[in-house]
Amino acid sequence: MINESDKYFEKYNLITIRVLFFVLVSIKGIDRLVYPAIWAEDGRVFLKQAFEIGWSSLLKPYDGYFHTIPRLIALISACFPIEAIPVIIVLLCYGIFTYTITLPFTKPYKWLFCNQVFSLAIAIVLLVSPGQATMLGNGTNLHWYLLLLLSILGLKDIRMPYSFGEIVIAFLCVTSEGAVIILLPLFLTRYIMKKTQRV
């Protein structure tokens, strides 16, 4: 049984890891912070509609799906002075990417990533993997990271139920990303395994 001090240590350890990786993500994408700009649909669709129709923009599909998280980022960013908006978008996107690549450090994934060294290796591989030049730091291409996030959620320990927060995150990912249908076999397999597991 885990006592309160162990729980505190685990929580403190995870916060430290996430802060460290947020710094590493920011260093990796430092050019987006030094030369902030609004990327493609972030400006001409999400921000434009955030200013024009506000929260109603969450119900407006674009290219076949709702882009919920990029739209939420646009709505949050629209509350700041104009000159700060590009930096706010980048920082929020970096935060989501950091959350995604540090999930292997959390308890529900210990069955798969059995120790901190392996979790660290996975997080670093995800951090430095190529092909992220256009993906990192903008809402327009955030859907690829959301697909990764949903995939990792699908690998959660079968013995642990999803929390309300995880269900909300999954819902936001599904309504933000059109390719999530490819994960249907993963979640169907998980559902069947959960139904047939011995209590």
Side-chain angles (χ1 to χ4, degrees):
M1 185 174 175
I2 300 176
N3 61 39
E4 288 302 315
S5 62
D6 289 338
K7 284 182 182 176
Y8 175 80
F9 176 76
E10 280 187 12
K11 184 177 179 181
Y12 178 78
N13 190 34
L14 182 60
I15 291 169
T16 303
I17 288 166
R18 285 191 163 147
V19 168
L20 172 63
F21 270 92
F22 184 81
V23 170
L24 292 174
V25 169
S26 298
I27 291 169
K28 178 184 170 101
I30 193 68
D31 57 319
R32 296 272 163 89
L33 292 170
V34 174
Y35 305 105
I38 296 173
W39 186 277
E41 283 91 344
D42 285 0
R44 63 183 172 84
V45 178
F46 307 138
L47 271 171
K48 180 177 182 288
Q49 291 177 354
F51 282 117
E52 288 177 349
I53 59 175
W55 291 94
S56 300
S57 64
L58 291 171
L59 303 174
K60 196 169 178 66
Y62 171 74
D63 263 1
Y65 49 102
F66 291 101
H67 301 267
T68 306
I69 294 179
R71 287 186 182 282
L72 285 170
I73 290 171
L75 286 162
I76 292 167
S77 302
C79 298
F80 289 84
I82 295 290
E83 60 275 10
I85 288 176
V87 175
I88 299 297
I89 292 172
V90 170
L91 290 175
L92 290 171
C93 290
Y94 285 3
I96 291 168
F97 181 51
T98 301
Y99 174 80
T100 301
I101 66 174
T102 55
L103 270 178
F105 289 97
T106 61
K107 188 177 178 182
Y109 302 94
K110 283 186 179 175
W111 75 274
L112 185 60
F113 308 106
C114 47
N115 59 54
Q116 295 281 53
V117 174
F118 191 35
S119 297
L120 179 63
I122 293 296
I124 289 173
V125 166
L126 291 172
L127 174 66
V128 302
S129 59
Q132 298 186 56
T134 58
M135 290 166 40
L136 189 64
N138 62 81
T140 300
N141 292 298
L142 188 62
H143 61 277
W144 297 113
Y145 294 124
L146 299 178
L147 186 61
L148 174 63
L149 173 54
L150 194 60
S151 302
I152 296 172
L153 284 175
L155 297 174
K156 183 177 179 177
D157 191 334
I158 198 80
R159 297 165 298 181
M160 301 178 76
Y162 286 112
S163 68
F164 176 75
E166 288 167 329
I167 292 168
V168 170
I169 289 169
F171 173 79
L172 293 174
C173 289
V174 168
T175 57
S176 297
E177 164 55 56
V180 293
I181 195 167
I182 67 171
L183 296 176
L184 190 57
L186 169 63
F187 283 94
L188 185 59
T189 302
R190 181 184 173 86
Y191 175 78
I192 292 168
M193 288 175 67
K194 187 75 176 170
K195 281 288 185 187
T196 57
Q197 75 176 358
R198 293 170 188 246
V199 181

